Amino acid sequence: MAGFSFEVTARDGRARAGRLVTPHGEIETPAFMPVGTAGAVKGVLHRDLREIGARVLLANTYHLMLRPGDAVIASLGGLHGFTGWDGPFLTDSGGYQVFSLAALRRIDDEGVRFRSHVDGSPHLLTPERSIEIQARLGADIVMAFDECPPGDAARGPIEEATRRTSLWARRCRNAHRRADQWLFGIVQGGTHLDLRERSARELMELDFPGYAVGGLSVGEPREGRDLVLDRLDPLLPAGRPRYLMGVGTPEDLLDSVARGIDLFDCVLPTRNARNGQLFTRTGRLSLRNARYRDDPRPPDPECSCPTCRTTSRAYLRHLHMSGELTAATLATVHNLFLYLDIMGKVRQSIRLCRFEEYRRETLRRLAAVDEDGPACDAP
Ligand SMILES: [Zn+2]
């Protein structure tokens, strides 16, 4: 398809480094995509995102279709024209948010009926409608409309959602028109390995250019996720990108790269930053903790991000406790920088065939204890 390619350029064990080319630029993989729910990463300017190395943003179809509406965005040049972000965008299908945010939903094979969490207005989202909205939004990568059951669902509902996801994936494939968008399929099946395998095989019949693994950020045990990724790794086409949706902590990213994943998104670094929780190379740090009141050190002494170069823990804690808007901005810039920096080092270590060494050492340090006691404050 015009303007798109993906190539695995290095392997180390099952970890892969690669290059994903889109009409709006290249993405070195493994890559982390900051979440820009409403067309913006909360609290951070595009300029700062570029400076800290963000290459691709995720935007949420559900939020944008309700406000300001996909017609408005289309009339202003799609997401790129509307937001001014000229790099690649990925939009989700709207499915995940419909299932987690909207009220009064009714699901059948046609689609999902729901009421907007913004104004209560009724909507019907179908596979065809999701693809139409995503075509208007104009992201480079768009996602098939899937049913994402809750993590504690019984096997019956998960099996039903997996069946429906395959049905809907075919309808998405048929509705997809834009040659300048890549449509990825989403594998469902909870932590049931046989359902995951069935889902992957049914989607692969539709020959998507990339495959996402959905339904693994919904509270399932971590071992369950690892087993699913272990099962899918040899099944999914080796030459196509794999995207693990909604996961996770830096530890989760390292463990999933080790299982052959190329793309990630997660609200953790941005949401936690707004709540005053920083990720550091030696564990987590909560700005609410009184022991940082007069701490002159930067949030993460090993970090070279714009926040850590100019800001003390004491000042950042003060801004956070005072409800200053810049607290969210400074903390988010740091957390995203850390995620993007780790992914850069992951890519480098794969190219040097030292990924396992890097992963072990980074995991050990993330769990470290410093001289003040545990660096990791409970979330
Ligand atoms: Zn920093």
Side-chain angles (χ1 to χ4, degrees):
M1 200 165 278
F4 285 99
S5 65
F6 177 71
E7 185 190 1
V8 174
T9 53
R11 290 173 195 274
D12 185 11
R14 289 154 60 199
R16 307 129 56 91
R19 188 182 306 112
L20 173 58
V21 178
T22 79
H24 289 90
E26 290 187 15
I27 304 159
E28 300 278 340
T29 62
F32 178 78
M33 304 183 278
V35 177
T37 298
V41 174
K42 291 188 196 331
V44 184
L45 298 173
H46 296 337
R47 186 186 67 202
D48 293 337
L49 291 171
R50 283 228 165 276
E51 186 188 333
I52 63 172
R55 288 291 170 266
V56 47
L57 300 186
L58 179 146
N60 289 120
T61 291
Y62 170 83
H63 290 278
L64 294 168
M65 69 180 270
L66 298 178
R67 187 170 55 192
D70 41 297
V72 170
I73 293 174
S75 73
L76 294 164
L79 278 171
H80 293 99
F82 183 55
T83 66
W85 173 262
D86 57 5
F89 262 112
L90 179 147
T91 46
D92 64 1
S93 68
Y96 182 79
Q97 262 88 23
V98 166
F99 292 109
S100 57
L101 292 178
L104 298 177
R105 54 184 190 267
R106 209 180 73 218
I107 309 161
D108 57 26
D109 282 355
E110 185 190 6
V112 186
R113 279 166 223 285
F114 65 96
R115 288 189 180 275
S116 157
H117 76 289
V118 178
D119 61 7
S121 57
H123 295 268
L124 168 65
L125 202 51
T126 64
E128 292 78 13
R129 177 86 181 111
S130 171
I131 295 299
E132 180 191 353
I133 295 169
Q134 292 187 79
R136 287 192 186 162
L137 296 177
D140 301 82
I141 298 171
V142 301
M143 303 303 299
F145 188 61
D146 61 329
E147 180 178 347
C148 182
D152 58 357
R155 180 180 166 106
I158 292 177
E159 191 161 5
E160 176 66 359
T162 305
R163 178 194 67 80
R164 193 167 278 142
T165 293
S166 291
L167 181 79
W168 288 355
R170 185 173 296 275
R171 283 164 54 189
C172 286
R173 198 84 174 90
N174 292 337
H176 179 236
R177 297 276 178 277
R178 279 185 72 156
D180 60 347
Q181 291 189 316
W182 246 7
L183 170 65
F184 284 11
I186 304 178
V187 177
Q188 286 288 350
T191 50
H192 304 282
L193 298 182
D194 59 321
L195 295 183
R196 284 285 175 183
E197 184 164 342
R198 187 193 306 169
S199 178
R201 292 194 189 285
E202 288 174 359
L203 289 168
M204 283 158 56
E205 283 173 21
L206 299 172
D207 195 28
F208 288 101
Y211 293 87
V213 185
L216 283 182
S217 59
V218 289
E220 76 289 338
R222 204 187 116 182
E223 302 72 39
R225 184 186 68 217
D226 290 349
L227 290 173
V228 168
L229 297 182
D230 286 342
R231 175 64 68 99
L232 291 176
D233 178 40
L235 278 179
L236 294 173
R240 302 201 180 168
R242 295 111 172 251
Y243 163 27
L244 178 57
M245 304 183 80
V247 174
T249 63
E251 292 91 336
D252 292 330
L253 269 54
L254 290 162
D255 288 341
S256 302
V257 166
R259 294 177 163 79
I261 296 295
D262 307 303
L263 293 167
F264 300 90
D265 79 284
C266 189
V267 295
L268 271 185
T270 42
R271 179 183 289 163
N272 286 18
R274 297 195 299 280
N275 293 330
Q277 192 181 70
L278 304 183
F279 291 91
T280 79
R281 273 75 174 172
T282 50
R284 300 185 193 185
L285 178 159
S286 170
L287 294 173
R288 296 188 170 275
N289 194 320
R291 77 181 201 227
Y292 302 124
R293 188 177 358 224
D294 57 358
D295 191 333
R297 292 176 294 177
D300 182 349
E302 295 178 33
C303 186
S304 56
C305 84
T307 299
C308 291
R309 287 201 310 262
T310 58
T311 314
S312 67
R313 293 176 180 182
Y315 182 49
L316 193 50
R317 169 180 153 80
H318 157 72
L319 294 175
H320 179 75
M321 298 308 279
S322 309
E324 288 290 331
L325 298 177
T326 45
T329 301
L330 289 163
T332 305
V333 163
H334 164 76
N335 276 357
L336 282 180
F337 181 93
L338 177 132
Y339 268 63
L340 297 166
D341 183 54
I342 287 179
M343 295 313 268
K345 294 194 165 91
V346 161
R347 294 191 294 268
Q348 193 180 29
S349 70
I350 294 171
R351 290 186 201 113
L352 297 172
C353 280
R354 288 178 144 170
F355 171 67
E356 191 48 32
E357 199 179 317
Y358 173 73
R359 186 181 74 93
R360 276 177 203 276
E361 174 63 8
T362 306
L363 289 176
R364 187 186 67 74
R365 304 204 61 232
L366 286 168
V369 171
D370 70 21
E371 70 274 16
D372 302 327
C376 178
D377 301 306

